[in-house]
Amino acid sequence: MIKKQGRWRGLDIVKAIGVILMVVLHVVMWWYIPYDYGAERVSEMFFFFLPFLKFIGLFVIIIPITAGASLRYFLDENFKDNEKLVMVLKRSFLLIFTGYFMNLLAWGRAEFLDWDVLQFVGVGLALAALMIRFFSMPFLWIVGALTLISAPFLRMALGKWELNYIIAVLIGNNEGNFFWPFFPWFSFIIYGFFISHYRLTCRNKKNIYLILQIFSFIVLILAFYLNKLFFVDDIRNIWGPGIFQAPTLTLLANIGVFNLMLIFAEKFFKSVKTKKFGVINVFGRGILWIYVLHIVIGYYLVNFVKYYFVDSVMAMLITIAFMLVLSYVIGVAAVWLKERKAMLTTN
């Protein structure tokens, strides 16, 4: 039997870092890319910040892994529990609904059907939970691996139908409104599930961590040597295929970044106490509502400040600081509400 687990501090640290950098990335992107997807010309300052954006993109893009890890951690001892499966399916539906509603609030009716991270994670978590409920663990690993490996071949095979909504959800397209195609990103959710499962069940975690470190360094060095470490930037379609249809080696390098971050957090912050309203706990546990509200508020705020006050680097930095503080407040509210709900449930 698996020993009852508390919160996974290392995972919370990774999520917190990812959320903070996500807020920074979005504000800088919105500031210099005035349209939703891209532009023919942008300010020269954007190219000054571009290396920084590509670097922090290595950390932000791993958030789907943390979603898969959180799923396995939530299922805990019995991942074939029907009651927990129903809870996952309900939460998945909420994520999908929230994703479309967020589109409406942030970008209007024209972008209502855009396929973004909440829709993807909602579908991905539901499918992962159903697979592990009705099939074996090896089946899940095989599906995850095939999702990653087959993505480039499916894009070639199905590319001529990419304007079809379902096909675009599966493989993405070049139109700029399908951001997290199932192939290859479902593999990230499965990988998170994999990591969490072995943390819960494996007695000798040192060997697992050693293997992960070796793998991570190999793929990172190889990706860097072959110029595949960072996502390809195309200002005409900045949220396009360069990010969401990246080469397999680039995606493996991102998995390597997650591994090293997690191992580092586990090793050096194991004895650090997590405060209820500390940065780690707030950004780690408040990730959903921080994401939704910072998108809706931040997108309008950036445009408001730029066009009605001043368009400068200092103004952008102040906006970033404001959005980080606001995100923290949102996270505090989310943690407080979760604690209150848990207290009422136990009583």
Side-chain angles (χ1 to χ4, degrees):
M1 180 178 289
I2 301 172
K3 183 181 177 181
K4 186 67 176 176
Q5 303 285 325
R7 289 197 64 82
W8 186 357
R9 182 171 302 156
L11 186 65
D12 278 339
I13 292 171
V14 172
K15 285 198 289 184
I17 293 172
V19 170
I20 292 169
L21 294 178
M22 172 187 71
V23 173
V24 175
L25 176 72
H26 281 154
V27 172
V28 178
M29 283 289 199
W30 291 331
W31 197 273
Y32 290 109
I33 306 292
Y35 304 105
D36 290 344
Y37 311 127
E40 290 294 332
R41 298 178 64 185
V42 297
S43 166
E44 291 183 2
M45 284 304 301
F46 174 75
F47 296 100
F48 174 81
F49 285 106
L50 189 56
F52 169 72
L53 296 176
K54 294 176 78 168
F55 175 73
I56 66 175
L58 292 173
F59 304 90
V60 173
I61 214 76
I62 63 179
I63 288 178
I65 303 180
T66 69
S70 297
L71 172 64
R72 179 63 184 90
Y73 213 67
F74 167 75
L75 296 176
D76 201 22
E77 294 188 12
N78 183 10
F79 48 75
K80 293 187 180 293
D81 187 322
N82 287 330
E83 184 177 345
K84 287 198 171 184
L85 173 62
V86 172
M87 291 176 67
V88 171
L89 295 179
K90 287 181 178 178
R91 291 181 182 183
S92 296
F93 176 80
L94 176 62
L95 286 175
I96 295 167
F97 173 82
T98 303
Y100 285 120
F101 187 61
M102 186 193 75
N103 288 346
L104 187 63
L105 291 177
W107 297 293
R109 288 183 297 175
E111 313 297 334
F112 175 68
L113 291 178
D114 284 7
W115 184 260
D116 214 326
V117 66
L118 293 185
Q119 293 90 324
F120 159 69
V121 170
V123 171
L125 293 180
L127 287 176
L130 287 168
M131 286 180 185
I132 199 61
R133 170 62 183 84
F134 295 106
F135 299 97
S136 64
M137 190 68 74
F139 176 84
L140 196 63
W141 304 156
I142 292 170
V143 169
L146 289 177
T147 302
L148 178 63
I149 296 169
S150 65
F153 304 103
L154 285 174
R155 284 196 291 270
M156 288 189 291
L158 302 176
K160 61 183 177 181
W161 295 292
E162 67 173 11
L163 295 182
N164 177 278
Y165 194 89
I166 300 301
I167 298 299
V169 166
L170 292 177
I171 64 169
N173 64 22
N174 299 334
E175 300 303 307
N177 53 353
F178 288 84
F179 303 109
W180 294 87
F182 187 84
F183 295 89
W185 293 103
F186 185 60
S187 62
F188 274 46
I189 290 178
I190 299 302
Y191 185 75
F193 196 98
F194 168 85
I195 289 293
S196 198
H197 177 72
Y198 280 98
R199 183 182 188 272
L200 289 168
T201 59
C202 182
R203 293 183 177 180
N204 194 342
K205 296 182 180 64
K206 290 184 178 180
N207 288 345
I208 295 294
Y209 284 163
L210 178 61
I211 293 171
L212 291 179
Q213 286 182 72
I214 294 172
F215 163 81
S216 300
F217 281 120
I218 290 174
V219 296
L220 285 168
I221 291 170
L222 185 61
F224 181 78
Y225 177 75
L226 296 176
N227 198 28
K228 298 289 185 181
L229 179 58
F230 301 105
F231 295 103
V232 176
D233 54 286
D234 180 358
I235 64 167
R236 296 165 300 177
N237 192 2
I238 200 71
W239 302 110
I243 295 176
F244 297 108
Q245 298 178 38
T248 302
L249 182 57
T250 303
L251 299 174
L252 288 173
N254 273 262
I255 290 174
V257 169
F258 170 83
N259 291 340
L260 296 179
M261 285 181 66
L262 186 64
I263 293 168
F264 180 85
E266 291 275 274
K267 183 176 181 180
F268 292 100
F269 293 93
K270 189 174 183 179
S271 59
V272 176
K273 291 185 178 180
T274 303
K275 297 180 180 179
K276 181 178 179 180
F277 295 125
V279 171
I280 293 172
N281 198 46
V282 165
F283 281 95
R285 295 182 65 186
I287 182 172
L288 171 60
W289 297 112
I290 290 174
Y291 172 77
V292 172
L293 293 175
H294 103 275
I295 289 284
V296 176
I297 297 171
Y299 185 70
Y300 286 110
L301 179 64
V302 165
N303 285 285
F304 180 80
V305 173
K306 277 186 64 179
Y307 294 112
Y308 292 98
F309 286 92
V310 60
D311 181 2
S312 69
V313 174
M314 182 57 66
M316 182 192 68
L317 295 176
I318 293 172
T319 304
I320 289 174
F322 175 81
M323 288 307 303
L324 288 173
V325 172
L326 179 63
S327 297
Y328 174 79
V329 172
I330 294 168
V332 167
V335 169
W336 183 82
L337 289 172
K338 286 180 180 180
E339 295 282 342
R340 183 172 175 79
K341 181 180 178 182
M343 188 182 302
L344 292 174
T345 302
T346 54
N347 291 337

